Amino acid sequence: MGVASAATTGPSDGFQHLVDPNRKWYNSRGLIILHAWLVLLLITSSTNGYDGSLMNSLQSMDTWKDFFANPQGSTLGLLNAIQNLGGLAGLPFAPYLSDGIGRRPSIWIGAVFMLAGAVLQTACMDIHQFIGARCLLGFGASIASNAAPMLVMEVAYPTYRSQCTSLYNTLWYSGNIIASWTAFGTSRINNDWSWRIPSLLQAVPSVFQFFLIWFVPESPRWLVSKGKDSEALRTLAYYHADGNDQDPLVQYEFEEIRTAIRIDQEAKNVGWAALVATKGNRKRMLIIVAIAWFSQWSGNGLVSYYLNKVFDTIGITDTSIQLLITGILAIWNLLWALFASFQVDRWGRRFLFITSAVGMFVCFTIQTVCSAQYATHQSQAAAHAVIAFIFLFYAFYDLAFTPLIISYTLEILPYSLRAKGFTLFSLTVAIAVTFNQYVNPVALSSLGWKYYIVYCAWIAFEVVFLWFFIVETKNRTLEETAALFDGEDAHQTRETAPRGSQALLDDYDDKSSNSGSLVSLNSSSVASLKAPV
């Protein structure tokens, strides 16, 4: 069975029968070490979550508002949007760095910029320096956030890949929680340190990455793409099979990666034009752009950056209460997103996406009705109901749009297009967020609760789109997913795949019980259990 055609026959015909049932995340030395290093990559998302919540919390602090002369309107919009504008400036460089010099160096470069931004934000003396600091943070985050989730996905053990990559965006809320509760505590400091301390703590994840990223394994797929096959095999063997390069799963992964990358290189499926060159790629891009936009345009943008404005519309104006609700909401979101992250292979991507969208539509519609009741009749019961339905709305949002938007985007993209396709995803998110941050405060000021009706209609459209376009991808390797989108194109690649690789994959069922018959690059490729660097 060829690599491209493997996905068409169902997950049971892929890698599942090659997995050692006794190898678990808690009893394998390689997997324990691997998952420890994955934490260092996952905290990239925590940094982004910290920043997103920090601005929401700072806007509730009187000391911050007094220091910067209580920014309003377009100035407030720029303060919130500049981080995303900085991210947009970094996006053109991100895929070339990730594909060119590797995933690890790209994360290190991003950490350097984020460190500089956090230091400047902490020490800034005027609003212009504050804006510049947030621009640096956005620039660094766009580079690190392009490489980190790809590296998580490309080094993760196949049976844990979906959970690990779903955890990446889920841990956005870990940063959100730390920022919310840190700001809640420092808000009682009656001087500038009430907002400078949270700004300084933003640098902590980048400090760890600055010093430790070089110990993390590089992507085997990147190594193969650069002709470093022996190093790629050594990495797979050390982390996925405790150093055994004859392990059936390691051999299957290695040959599948080599064949898929060679096919893409021979077909020149590597440039920006390739993103829309085939029917399968066009479908990928449509889905990726859609879920990227949906992730920011489902009403969540109102809460993420302007929760205090939403509170104002329902009469909750006390700073301490606003910060307290923000902190509790962050914990609520993390718990639901963690729950969903471990269900992605059990329930499937399609079920989670559709359930999420339907639930958001129902909750946001009721929230809109309650907001209208408060605006019209000043009903305290309606105000309390709005808070309740914000929490319920996020429970449904977190079923899919927190854990899946990044992991699903990356897994439907072939290696040759992964960095560029993910850059398009990030660009779409940045545009949607920037648009929201400029439009939302103006629209809320002008329309109040009536602005919510726009989102009700939009979420209804999301339900219809997701029903017709989301493709199920659970329990497949990254390479096996290709046939789900490429169809005839994927079938035709069998004729161009290396004959040796096809013969190896065709005969895996017979050979998986006899590791001595499996292919090896050479006897010295994994001569020791020393971790690849």
Side-chain angles (χ1 to χ4, degrees):
M1 173 167 52
V3 172
S5 62
T8 62
T9 57
S12 61
D13 293 327
F15 71 91
Q16 296 289 343
H17 65 297
L18 303 175
V19 176
D20 182 351
N22 297 316
R23 183 176 295 131
K24 305 294 183 182
W25 64 268
Y26 53 83
N27 63 14
S28 166
R29 178 173 178 266
L31 290 181
I32 292 172
I33 295 172
L34 175 61
H35 289 147
W37 290 129
L38 290 184
V39 172
L40 188 66
L41 305 177
L42 295 174
I43 62 175
T44 305
S45 183
S46 299
T47 304
N48 292 335
Y50 191 101
D51 178 73
S53 177
L54 182 61
M55 280 308 300
N56 200 23
S57 298
L58 293 184
Q59 290 172 63
S60 296
M61 291 184 180
D62 292 333
T63 52
W64 182 86
K65 288 186 286 189
D66 292 342
F67 188 88
F68 293 110
N70 195 22
Q72 298 290 331
S74 60
T75 301
L76 181 60
L78 178 61
L79 280 169
N80 281 307
I82 190 62
Q83 191 264 359
N84 294 292
L85 295 175
L88 286 171
L91 285 180
F93 304 99
Y96 294 104
L97 289 171
S98 294
D99 284 344
I101 64 176
R103 301 343 189 186
R104 292 186 306 177
S106 300
I107 295 170
W108 185 84
I109 292 172
V112 170
F113 278 99
M114 287 189 284
L115 273 173
V119 171
L120 179 58
Q121 181 171 315
T122 302
C124 72
M125 298 306 297
D126 57 49
I127 198 168
H128 303 294
Q129 293 176 357
F130 191 90
I131 290 172
R134 289 186 52 73
C135 185
L136 283 175
L137 285 164
F139 187 88
S142 70
I143 294 174
S145 298
N146 181 269
M150 290 194 293
L151 186 52
V152 171
M153 175 164 282
E154 292 169 358
V155 300
Y157 192 66
T159 57
Y160 299 133
R161 173 178 57 81
S162 60
Q163 292 91 335
C164 288
T165 50
S166 295
L167 282 173
Y168 177 84
N169 205 47
T170 293
L171 290 182
W172 188 94
Y173 285 119
S174 65
N176 182 281
I177 289 169
I178 295 171
S180 297
W181 288 101
T182 298
F184 181 72
T186 61
S187 66
R188 288 163 171 74
I189 301 174
N190 294 319
N191 57 52
D192 296 343
W193 284 105
S194 62
W195 59 267
R196 292 188 191 274
I197 290 175
S199 297
L200 181 62
L201 291 178
Q202 193 169 10
V204 172
S206 298
V207 171
F208 282 109
Q209 291 181 332
F210 181 88
F211 289 106
L212 298 177
I213 193 62
W214 304 110
F215 296 99
V216 176
E218 184 56 272
S219 164
R221 289 163 176 83
W222 182 85
L223 292 170
V224 169
S225 73
K226 299 302 180 183
K228 301 179 180 180
D229 289 21
S230 61
E231 188 176 346
L233 178 59
R234 187 165 66 250
T235 298
L236 288 169
Y238 180 83
Y239 290 104
H240 290 189
D242 294 325
N244 178 16
D245 71 336
Q246 299 295 304
D247 181 83
L249 178 62
V250 167
Q251 287 289 320
Y252 180 85
E253 288 184 276
F254 179 62
E255 287 300 327
E256 189 178 49
I257 291 169
R258 285 207 304 175
T259 301
I261 290 178
R262 185 175 295 113
I263 288 171
D264 283 335
Q265 290 175 340
E266 291 174 354
K268 301 187 185 302
N269 188 36
V270 295
W272 288 99
L275 294 176
V276 292
T278 67
K279 181 179 179 181
N281 286 348
R282 287 190 292 273
K283 184 174 182 179
R284 287 183 175 100
M285 292 306 107
L286 176 63
I287 294 173
I288 288 170
V289 170
I291 63 174
W293 193 270
F294 294 169
S295 72
Q296 304 302 320
W297 242 75
S298 297
N300 55 302
L302 290 173
V303 178
S304 296
Y305 283 89
Y306 293 100
L307 183 56
N308 60 318
K309 300 292 186 184
V310 175
F311 286 149
D312 289 343
T313 66
I314 57 174
I316 298 176
T317 57
D318 183 83
T319 297
S320 295
I321 294 177
Q322 288 185 358
L323 290 173
L324 180 62
I325 295 174
T326 300
I328 295 173
L329 181 61
I331 296 173
W332 171 265
N333 283 329
L334 178 62
L335 293 175
W336 276 101
L338 284 172
F339 170 74
S341 295
F342 291 100
Q343 309 305 319
V344 290
D345 278 341
R346 178 179 300 174
W347 293 349
R349 283 65 158 166
R350 181 176 168 83
F351 174 82
L352 288 171
F353 268 118
I354 294 173
T355 301
S356 176
V358 171
M360 285 192 299
F361 173 73
V362 172
C363 292
F364 203 85
T365 300
I366 297 175
Q367 178 186 327
T368 301
V369 172
C370 293
S371 296
Q373 286 296 309
Y374 176 81
T376 305
H377 305 293
Q378 300 298 303
S379 168
Q380 290 301 310
H384 295 154
V386 169
I387 300 299
F389 278 99
I390 285 176
F391 277 77
L392 290 175
F393 167 86
Y394 263 103
F396 283 104
Y397 179 91
D398 292 327
L399 286 180
F401 286 93
T402 295
L404 285 180
I405 56 168
I406 288 179
S407 62
Y408 189 76
T409 293
L410 293 177
E411 70 185 5
I412 67 175
L413 287 165
Y415 171 81
S416 61
L417 301 179
R418 191 164 294 141
K420 293 181 177 65
F422 188 46
T423 298
L424 179 62
F425 167 89
S426 300
L427 174 64
T428 305
V429 169
I431 292 173
V433 170
T434 302
F435 179 82
N436 272 349
Q437 289 169 342
Y438 272 111
V439 171
N440 282 345
V442 176
L444 279 173
S445 298
S446 301
L447 300 176
W449 68 268
K450 295 177 183 177
Y451 182 50
Y452 300 166
I453 297 174
V454 175
Y455 283 104
C456 292
W458 181 259
I459 299 172
F461 167 76
E462 291 180 11
V463 173
V464 176
F465 181 94
L466 295 170
W467 177 270
F468 286 103
F469 286 96
I470 290 294
V471 177
E472 186 55 69
T473 60
K474 67 178 181 179
N475 296 324
R476 301 180 187 273
T477 66
L478 296 178
E479 284 70 30
E480 286 172 351
T481 305
L484 296 176
F485 288 86
D486 296 329
E488 290 298 319
D489 294 330
H491 178 73
Q492 290 169 8
T493 61
R494 294 188 64 189
E495 301 302 321
T496 62
R499 300 300 178 184
S501 297
Q502 284 200 36
L504 174 69
L505 294 172
D506 287 341
D507 205 27
Y508 252 117
D509 285 334
D510 296 330
K511 291 184 177 181
S512 60
S513 62
N514 181 11
S515 62
S517 65
L518 296 176
V519 68
S520 176
L521 288 180
N522 55 61
S523 59
S524 64
S525 62
V526 283
S528 72
L529 292 182
K530 182 180 178 182
V533 178

